[in-house]
Amino acid sequence: MFANRNLVSSDGILRDATREKVAIGAFNFTNMEVIQAIVAGANELHTPVILQASSSAIKYMGFEHIRAMVSAATEESDVPLVLHLDHGKDFDICKQAIDNGFSSVMIDASVLDFEENIAITKEVVDYANKYGVSVEAELGTLSGVEDEVSVAEGKAFYTDPNQAREFIERTGISSLAVAIGTSHGVNKGKTGNPKLSIETLKKIKEKVGDFPLVLHGASSVYADAVQRCNAYGADIQNAYGITDSDIREAIQNGIAKVNVDTDIRIAFLGAIREQLTNNKSNIDMRKYLGAGRDAAKEMVKRRLKTFL
Ligand code: G3H
Ligand code: 13P
Ligand code: ZN
């Protein structure tokens, strides 16, 4: 649906990333400024990048605006871009995304049992294959709140390495999201940065070989970025993310796509709060949204540097 050569499925870039032991950044967006920040950051670091929208983000922007904004972004971009549906919870939303020009979708039926997860994932793969669209699925459960999928903390299940290979073979997916101890949002640990189960990841990799694995809930939630928000009136407490060294180790052990939303939210918010606080007479939204965009771009670059 996009004629532009720069919009690609994620298949090839994730396979290459796995082989090269690097990862592709997948950043969530909800407006024009964040799209521009992601694309500018990726262009400066000469790396393909995945622009992803959750179903609630799609509700907020609408397919028409997403299509138009991402189409414009592909024209300005020197690097390949992927437009990806994040956490599609059923066949219908995946179909809608594909019909609206998304080049990649995630079907997240991880709350269902193994056989049901396989059945719905396979249905999405069969439809996506007709359009050359790549499909990510999830096995195991992250704690925290995913888009329209709530999982109580303490009920998080790591991906079972023994199921991973069978799941991939029976569904025909092109990447698999694994649960190895991350969660979505700003509070990933109660008293400090949570440790990833690299041991589980290694066991999965032993079973699936060079198959691209995906890490959700991978924001680093840098203390300086949180402090900037709080210094200008926010109240964000117990904010802990995944350390850069854990992310690097995960990439060395098969993670090829790293999902980041929270870090951009924090960067954007801190810059806007600072701008508004220091310019009380300003009414021009370009001043504060522009500051948010610049900060989001710097955050994208900061994260990408740990992935490459
Ligand atoms: O995985 C969850 C993402 O952070 C999307 O969150 O539903 O608020 O857009 P959202
Ligand atoms: P964070 O909340 O850690 O940024 O994770 C985002 C994510 O996994 C989107 O799918
Ligand atoms: Zn996620």
Side-chain angles (χ1 to χ4, degrees):
M1 320 227 170
F2 290 100
N4 197 290
R5 69 188 163 80
N6 275 346
L7 192 81
V8 298
S9 89
S10 52
D11 283 8
I13 60 173
L14 292 184
R15 269 199 309 268
D16 291 349
T18 312
R19 244 191 336 265
E20 290 163 23
K21 290 192 186 310
V22 297
I24 304 299
F27 298 97
N28 289 69
F29 67 92
T30 47
N31 62 17
M32 178 193 78
E33 284 77 10
V34 170
I35 293 175
Q36 290 175 330
I38 297 165
V39 173
N43 271 285
E44 283 186 19
L45 294 183
H46 310 292
T47 175
V49 76
I50 298 172
L51 297 160
Q52 57 187 17
S54 66
S55 37
S56 56
I58 291 168
K59 269 184 215 152
Y60 179 76
M61 290 176 278
F63 276 121
E64 298 286 325
H65 281 81
I66 292 176
R67 265 212 310 268
M69 289 190 293
V70 173
S71 178
T74 61
E75 276 166 36
E76 283 179 0
S77 178
D78 299 326
V79 297
L81 304 179
V82 176
L83 175 58
H84 176 75
L85 170 68
D86 191 28
H87 293 289
K89 74 172 177 15
D90 55 29
F91 176 81
D92 274 0
I93 182 68
C94 293
K95 179 179 183 301
Q96 277 179 51
I98 294 166
D99 294 349
N100 278 281
F102 279 52
S103 59
S104 179
V105 294
M106 175 188 191
I107 171 68
D108 180 1
S110 59
V111 290
L112 302 180
D113 72 28
F114 188 60
E115 289 300 327
E116 285 174 314
N117 190 352
I118 287 180
I120 182 172
T121 299
K122 177 89 179 61
E123 195 186 355
V124 173
V125 169
D126 288 345
Y127 189 76
N129 277 347
K130 293 187 207 153
Y131 302 93
V133 168
S134 45
V135 179
E136 172 186 336
E138 181 169 319
L139 196 56
T141 313
L142 279 72
S143 65
V145 178
E146 296 178 358
D147 177 43
E148 294 181 13
V149 182
S150 280
V151 183
E153 213 188 328
K155 279 197 176 174
F157 300 107
Y158 288 165
T159 303
D160 178 348
N162 293 315
Q163 285 185 339
R165 189 186 175 132
E166 183 184 344
F167 188 86
I168 292 165
E169 284 173 357
R170 287 177 60 192
T171 57
I173 51 169
S174 49
S175 62
L176 178 69
V178 293
I180 56 168
T182 60
S183 59
H184 291 104
V186 88
N187 307 116
K188 300 192 196 298
K190 282 203 167 64
T191 53
N193 303 90
K195 241 0 238 159
L196 293 191
S197 178
I198 297 293
E199 200 189 318
T200 305
L201 183 59
K202 282 184 174 160
K203 285 186 189 147
I204 297 168
K205 187 158 173 61
E206 258 171 42
K207 303 277 183 190
V208 306
D210 268 353
F211 188 81
L213 301 173
V214 180
L215 190 63
H216 282 250
S219 277
S220 285
V221 193
Y222 297 114
D224 59 286
V226 174
Q227 275 155 18
R228 187 184 194 188
C229 295
N230 288 346
Y232 292 98
D235 183 17
I236 303 169
Q237 301 301 329
N238 305 317
Y240 299 108
I242 311 301
T243 62
D244 285 345
S245 63
D246 271 5
I247 294 284
R248 285 199 190 93
E249 207 181 348
I251 293 169
Q252 291 316 303
N253 287 287
I255 295 295
K257 171 175 181 267
V258 179
N259 278 22
V260 174
D261 185 359
T262 299
D263 281 335
I264 290 187
R265 292 181 182 197
I266 297 170
F268 203 82
L269 179 69
I272 287 182
R273 280 189 169 278
E274 183 176 329
Q275 236 286 329
L276 292 175
T277 305
N278 291 340
N279 299 280
K280 292 214 162 54
S281 63
N282 172 54
I283 64 156
D284 182 346
M285 63 187 79
R286 290 168 296 192
K287 295 263 172 17
Y288 54 87
L289 292 178
R293 178 172 63 186
D294 292 346
K297 176 181 157 189
E298 290 312 308
M299 181 59 79
V300 166
K301 286 170 64 183
R302 186 173 180 180
R303 296 310 318 273
L304 286 175
K305 282 177 190 164
T306 62
F307 304 164
L308 299 172

